[in-house]
Amino acid sequence: MAARAGPVIIAASMLAGCQSSLLDAQGPVGRAQATILINSVVIMLAIVVPTIVATLAFAWWFRASNTRARRRLDWSYSGQIELVTWSIPLLVILFLGGIAWVGSHDLDPSRPLASERKPLRVQVVSLDWKWLFIYPDHGVASVNEMFAPARTPISFELTSASVMNAFFVPQLGSMIYTMNGMATRLHLQADGEGEFLGLSTHFSGDGFQGMRFAFRSVGDDAFQAWVEGARGSASALDRAGYEELAKQSLNAKPASYRAVDPHLFHDIVSQAIPPSGGPEGGQPTPQVSHRSSTFQAPVCTPASPRREPTASLSSPRTRN
């Protein structure tokens, strides 16, 4: 269970009134987490509702005008009442603890999802203030827009080029942190085609609100068509191109790159490429200067009628 209470509250408040919903799960991880949330609420209601009812009932029965009520002013102890008042909370804690224990293992973000299809590898870098997605097996990259074939597991490897951030696609589940000099693992899957909102849930400076991206789950043919289209882009993401991209910018438009330095992600993780200056490191520009695609990040509209992330220091890939 990668999501933690504080960031989830921030994300929920940001998504209020938006089309994306934590309970509108579109993948196996999201559905499992929604089930845990619903089961936890039901278990807690088993003690909350009777307590509220008992409080109202006691207040009504022992009202001043009820002469039938027996008031035992010298009463001080009842073993039966003590048994009830202690056993029910203990059972609630036992059930909630069991759900959390099982869920934290089954939904470990670093645990691959069971599937007959080969996972799609995606390397994610959080920048100031945009998201970079690298597809190492396809040799392309995109900014503030991610494509993935539906019903295919996605194996994420995430890091930050600047300050700590948090990657979250609410309808797919499992928010996870990104940190400079470290790589975290995450496995997600979308079970159908559609467009889902992705966003940052960790405040990181002036451009935080615009740090959103479109997660597009498409068919296999549409994904291959997008890859071919990205390979026809004018820009390539070598080290010089990355350093230009890493400069602070607000509301960066989606863009794609036809080629990517195969060592780029590992150089960022190992800090062979120095980290960015962070929110105080420079003046943001309105948008990135490279060619943008025709796709736009989703806009919030009114809705229609795992355990901490595993962080491990990655070493740079040996160059041939």
Side-chain angles (χ1 to χ4, degrees), residues 199-319:
L199 71 164
S200 166
T201 57
H202 187 91
F203 183 73
S204 57
D206 294 338
F208 163 73
Q209 184 175 1
M211 198 170 173
R212 302 187 177 194
F213 64 91
F215 183 102
R216 305 184 190 278
S217 177
V218 298
D220 294 343
D221 294 339
F223 176 73
Q224 290 300 325
W226 174 80
V227 171
E228 294 302 322
R231 288 171 178 167
S233 303
S235 302
L237 194 61
D238 52 12
R239 177 159 180 168
Y242 168 77
E243 291 176 351
E244 180 66 23
L245 175 66
K247 294 179 180 179
Q248 293 182 1
S249 61
L250 300 176
N251 301 315
K253 295 181 179 180
S256 58
Y257 292 90
R258 59 179 172 81
V260 183
D261 181 351
H263 305 287
L264 180 61
F265 182 82
H266 295 276
D267 287 347
I268 296 171
V269 175
S270 64
Q271 299 183 334
I273 298 177
S276 302
E280 302 298 330
Q283 297 297 324
T285 55
Q287 63 181 42
V288 292
S289 59
H290 49 74
R291 186 187 71 83
S292 61
S293 70
T294 58
F295 295 102
Q296 300 295 325
V299 178
C300 290
T301 56
S304 54
R306 309 149 172 164
R307 175 167 158 170
E308 294 289 324
T310 304
S312 59
L313 181 62
S314 299
S315 58
R317 182 183 296 178
T318 304
R319 299 179 183 268

Side-chain angles (χ1 to χ4, degrees), residues 95-165:
F95 290 146
L96 290 178
I99 290 177
W101 176 270
V102 174
S104 63
H105 287 79
D106 291 345
L107 298 177
D108 185 338
S110 63
R111 181 177 180 176
L113 300 178
S115 176
E116 296 180 355
R117 307 189 69 173
K118 179 181 178 181
L120 172 69
R121 294 175 58 220
V122 180
Q123 297 168 338
V124 182
V125 182
S126 58
L127 302 162
D128 294 331
W129 285 275
K130 46 194 169 283
W131 293 95
L132 170 63
F133 301 97
I134 301 173
Y135 299 77
D137 296 333
H138 299 83
V140 297
S142 61
V143 173
N144 277 359
E145 182 178 56
M146 179 183 167
F147 280 79
R151 295 170 291 278
T152 298
I154 308 170
S155 177
F156 290 100
E157 192 174 6
L158 308 96
T159 192
S160 173
S162 179
V163 297
M164 184 169 69
N165 223 301

Side-chain angles (χ1 to χ4, degrees), residues 44-59:
M44 288 184 286
L45 287 177
I47 187 173
V48 172
V49 172
T51 299
I52 295 174
V53 172
T55 300
L56 297 175
F58 270 72

Side-chain angles (χ1 to χ4, degrees), residues 142-200:
S142 61
V143 173
N144 277 359
E145 182 178 56
M146 179 183 167
F147 280 79
R151 295 170 291 278
T152 298
I154 308 170
S155 177
F156 290 100
E157 192 174 6
L158 308 96
T159 192
S160 173
S162 179
V163 297
M164 184 169 69
N165 223 301
F167 175 92
F168 192 28
V169 183
Q171 290 176 275
L172 300 186
S174 284
M175 184 210 75
I176 196 165
Y177 282 113
T178 63
M179 294 162 279
N180 182 255
M182 305 187 77
T184 49
R185 292 280 187 177
L186 176 64
H187 293 83
L188 297 176
Q189 177 179 315
D191 285 343
E193 299 180 15
E195 179 180 317
F196 313 120
L197 172 66
L199 71 164
S200 166

